[in-house]
Amino acid sequence: MSWSLCAVVIVLSLLQGSPAVGGPQTQDHNSTHHHGERGDVFNHTALTGQDMSAVELNPAHYPASRAAAVALHYLNTQHGSPYRWLGLVRVLRATLEEVGDKGRKYNVTFSVNDTVSDQSAGVCSSEVLFPANEEQAPPHLAPPSQAPPQVHCSCEELLKTNTTEEEQALYLQLKSNSSLVTSQHLPDSYGNMAPEMKPFWHLGGVASSFVMLKSSNESSLYNMAQVANVTQLETQNDTLMFQYHVLLHEMVSQEIIHWKLQVSWCPAEGVRVLNAEWQPKCQHCVVPPTNITSLTPPPLQPHPNTTQIPPS
């Protein structure tokens, strides 16, 4: 009986062998790590239980909202006007993927609204690729020299938006005025703004999106803080022209960056930024202007099997 028992124990030991390598106490060398905002580490294997090409991000955290903000800047360059300024409502879903030496790609689904009418503008799906760039100087010390993010986007609700009666009325009024519009401090230090100046505040925000799109990277988050001044320029054609001085707030560094923009607008052609000049903090510094040709976004590239968003 005892000999039989010993034989069974020996057989079981041979079948089980030694403990497996790569269990919970050992590191899986095939897992991939991605570094997010403020040193966060995303481990594909730890989050999903298997190796995957993309990792889910928390929609409420900075990496997701920054990618959505870049897509929003792009949409404003395509659809913005004095009476249409799109804002981010909420990020619904976001993933991050390493794309070799090309950079890092975010797939973001988010809801947007028209901040002017306070109406929903639907849900957008966007792909934002941040190219692999060398280290950049702080935005308040030098104009951006990086390649801009590449944006692909699909927004069905925006296909339904058209030129509003308010836009047409404002355009006709400005064309027929005997004097050119000029204003400053929109809003003022108390947050106040004359109602008739709000379209010029919106137009400044839309124009600023051209610069903020170019300037954005994975370590930045921009919005427009104030229109320091705006002046309507004389024109000899149907397009209205404005000179803007805007203050952009970079929220990560908490720096305020000054830009001068030459902006054109008419309902038929939308908003365009013809020239942009970064302004140094030092009042005596001389910095060559940055031409807006390099800031103008390329034609919208949709996701496969989706309808391209036409410009407004």
Side-chain angles (χ1 to χ4, degrees), residues 11 18 60 82 105 107 113 123 138 148 179 200 207 237 244 248 252 261 264 276 287 296 307 311:
V11 170
S18 59
K105 181 172 67 176
N107 284 288
N113 73 334
V123 174
S179 59
F200 302 98
N237 53 32
Y244 271 88
L248 306 185
V252 178
L261 312 175
S264 70
V287 176
T296 303
T307 304

Side-chain angles (χ1 to χ4, degrees), residues 105-117:
K105 181 172 67 176
Y106 291 76
N107 284 288
V108 189
T109 302
F110 56 97
S111 54
V112 297
N113 73 334
D114 183 345
T115 61
V116 181
S117 64

